[in-house]
Every structure is written in C-alpha cells, then in structure tokens.
Amino acid sequence: MIFDLLTVSGSAFDVDAATRAYLDTLQGPAKDKSDAYFEGGYYLLVFGTLVAVLIDWLILRFRFAKALRDFGERIFKRPFGATWLTALLYLLVSGVMALPWSIYTDFWREKHFGLLDQSFGDWAFEQALGAVIGLAIFPLLIALVYSIIRRAPKTWWVAGTAVTGVFLFIGTMLAPVFISPLFNTYSEMEHGPLRDRLVSMAAQFDVPADNIYVFDQSKQDKRISANVSGFGPTIRISLNDNLLERTSEEEIVAVMGHELGHYVMNHGAWRVGSMLTVLGLGLFLISRLGPWLIARYGERWGVRDIADPASLPVLTLILSLYLLLATPAFNNITRLQENQADAFGLMAAQEPDGFARAAMRLSEYRKLEPGALEEFLFYTHPSGKSRVRRSMQWKADNVPNAAIDVPPEGYLDQ
C-alpha cells in the first residue's frame, strides 16, 4: 500500500496533527454509520438485560420453572440428575423465548449495518450449533453449583466461583482445538516472507510459533482479527483471512505484535482471574438476595428454596441485573489489558503506522472518537482515537525524522 508523505512544518513531529490526519480519513456517512452502530449497542445492553429479566419473570410467574423441576424429578430420582435436566430444559425454553430478540440483534441489525455476510440459514445453523455446545456444558456446570448449594447453603458462592473458574480454564484450553474448528476452517499459513517475519517476531519473545493458522472469517463477515489462544499444548497463533486479504504487511505485523503481547503478559490467566473476582461478587449477592426473594415470592412461583432447581430463573434474573451494573468493571479490566498489549505490540512490531491503520479499520463497528465517560463505561478496547494517538506518540519518540503518513482516500473500504 502506497502512502503520501507530508512534510512536517518545523523539525518536530506533530503528534496531534498526525493523529488528526488519520482520524479525518473517516468522514461523512461512513462516520455517521459507525457512530450509530456503536451507540445503538448502549441501548441494546440495557434492553437485552430487560428481555432476559422479563423472560425469567414470565417463567416464574406462570410456574414454568416448577413444571420443569417436577418433570426433572420424575425422570431422575437423584438431585444431581433432576437439576441437570431442569437446567437443560430451562436453557432451551428461555433460549426459544429470546429467539426474536437474538434474530433482531445478531442477524437483522448486523445485516442492516452491512456487518454480516451470512444468509439467515447459515447464521441460524451456527446459532443452533452454538446452542448445542452450550447445552452440553452449562447444565453440567449448573448441576455442580446446585450440588454445592445443597451442601453449603450459606457459603456456596465461594466454591461455585472456583468451579466456574475450572470450566473457564478448560474451555479456554480446549476451544481452539475442538470448538473453533466447528465454525471455521483452519489451515496452516503458507510459508513465505510474511510468515517468516511473524515467526521471527514470536521467537524474540519465546512465543511458540510452530502452529500459525489462517481461518475463514470472511464466510461470516469482513472484520479483521487475530489471536494467540490456548494453554500449554494447545497454544496456537491464528489470523483470519480478512486480515491477510484486506490489510498491508505492516498492519498484519502490528496486529500480531499486539496479540503476542497478550501471551507474553499472560493476560489469559489474569483475565480469567479478574473476571472470576467480579463474578464471585455476583454469586455472593445472589446467595443473599436469592433466599430473600424466594421467601417472599417462592410459594407463588412454586419454588421451595435456593437449593431447589426451580430457583434457577431467580438466580439468573439477579445475575442479569448484576452483570449490567458490573459492565464498566468488566470493560475496564479488559481495556487495561488491551492498552498494555497495544504498548507491547508497538514495541515488538515497530510499525506505528501499520497499527494506526489497523485501528482505523475497526471503525467499521466501533465509534472512533467517544467522550471520556463514554469510553470508560462502554469500551472493552481503547478507542480508535486513543490507539492512533498512541501510535503517533510512539512514532515521534522512536522514529528519526518522522513524517506524517496520510492514507489514500478510500483505503478503509478495502
């Protein structure tokens, strides 16, 4: 990709001017569309929670939870089996009830903004496949947590958090090998100068690079991405085909430098630990609020106590509201790590303009210039403006005789 170089007035590289030169490449309808899509997500976050709460309330109000529990207890005499079946049926029923909302948010809206390339049939198949995987995992986790509740009704949230952590760790380790390939085709990256450069960069930081895969994200959408996933023997570097086909070598190397930063700084384990801390607080609140709600309304709902699997909608209702309130905490934990990986990636790849261009491409679905409070509350990653400015500051500090690179008009459409 060829870029025009502007001569910088004076001897100093103007970080603000260089940043603005990038930001101004997104203008007019394209910027309005980006802002509208991302800002709409703020409302979806609230309304999505209200939909989840409404579904749980309806399941309780019309005693569906009791009916599911009674059916589970008729099929299984042991509490573990009855809880597992109750949880399975609850997830099925609530999933079907939420289907119109899912179609609107995950299919129709994505199509409306031009961010989804799948037909409805292909999208529905992947949603069904994801649901099957979830039904194979979550009822078992729920049954284990209820076993703990029966044994320790006051302190179950401690062991419940630990069990959830075990599931998260196993899932993170196994997903790259057994789950991700169910949705996309993974193949070894072709040998050549680009792969050699990525392998060399990974080797500098002792990141295993025996397996570098390319997966066909383009079957779903045009978004660029890459990751270093897995633990131990399942560690692998993966790039999606959009990254390879839509961007320059400088962008690819910059993105991979960022992803290597996550691995080197052990962000996977830290993220699981941080998220479990926030989740543990949520389970603690459930352990206190759940019995109070059941004592007040349990007879009306047909729920005996918190150890009764029919209480599952009560627990998930509280959890949904808590997670909405905890969203800024989750977002800031993630954004802190993304900031750290950005700084590492600039140092590792030494491609500040490549990183700035890659950050600009994310404006397809992420508002480029949010306010400070907006970024604090809603952003899981640094904003495009923050990332471009960091890149230009790194360039000013590390590149002799730096000049402002202005991408050609229309490069974001590639």
Side-chain angles (χ1 to χ4, degrees), residues 364-395:
E364 291 179 338
Y365 55 89
R366 190 175 294 153
K367 186 177 179 180
L368 195 59
E369 300 185 67
L373 180 61
E374 192 176 8
E375 187 168 0
F376 175 83
L377 291 175
F378 298 110
Y379 277 64
T380 57
H381 292 65
S383 67
K385 179 180 179 180
S386 298
R387 284 178 147 173
V388 172
R389 196 182 196 290
R390 179 192 288 272
S391 301
M392 295 302 97
Q393 186 62 60
W394 189 94
K395 185 175 182 178

Side-chain angles (χ1 to χ4, degrees), residues 201 204-205 257 261 264 341-351 394 398:
M201 184 169 61
Q204 292 180 45
F205 303 100
V264 171
D342 284 354
F344 182 95
L346 285 165
M347 177 273 297
Q350 300 188 28
E351 292 286 0
W394 189 94
N398 296 278

Side-chain angles (χ1 to χ4, degrees), residues 76-153:
F76 290 99
K77 301 306 179 185
R78 293 183 178 276
F80 186 91
T83 302
W84 174 84
L85 184 54
T86 302
L88 178 70
L89 295 174
Y90 162 76
L91 292 174
L92 276 171
V93 170
S94 59
V96 171
M97 293 174 70
L99 191 56
W101 177 254
S102 298
I103 292 173
Y104 168 71
T105 58
D106 299 336
F107 179 78
W108 185 89
R109 188 170 183 268
E110 295 295 303
K111 278 285 194 181
H112 175 73
F113 281 95
L115 296 174
L116 184 69
D117 293 335
Q118 290 179 302
S119 67
F120 181 78
D122 291 337
W123 174 85
F125 174 79
E126 289 194 356
Q127 295 298 306
L129 180 58
V132 169
I133 294 171
L135 290 173
I137 298 171
F138 290 109
L140 177 60
L141 173 60
I142 292 169
L144 287 171
V145 170
Y146 269 90
S147 294
I148 297 169
I149 293 175
R150 287 192 292 272
R151 289 170 174 76

Side-chain angles (χ1 to χ4, degrees), residues 4-6 8 13-15 18 22 346 350-354 356-357 388-406:
D4 300 321
L5 297 182
L6 295 184
V8 183
F13 178 76
D14 190 331
V15 173
Y22 270 103
L346 285 165
Q350 300 188 28
E351 292 286 0
D353 286 292
R357 294 196 294 271
V388 172
R389 196 182 196 290
R390 179 192 288 272
S391 301
M392 295 302 97
Q393 186 62 60
W394 189 94
K395 185 175 182 178
D397 295 339
N398 296 278
V399 177
N401 303 314
I404 298 178
D405 286 357
V406 180

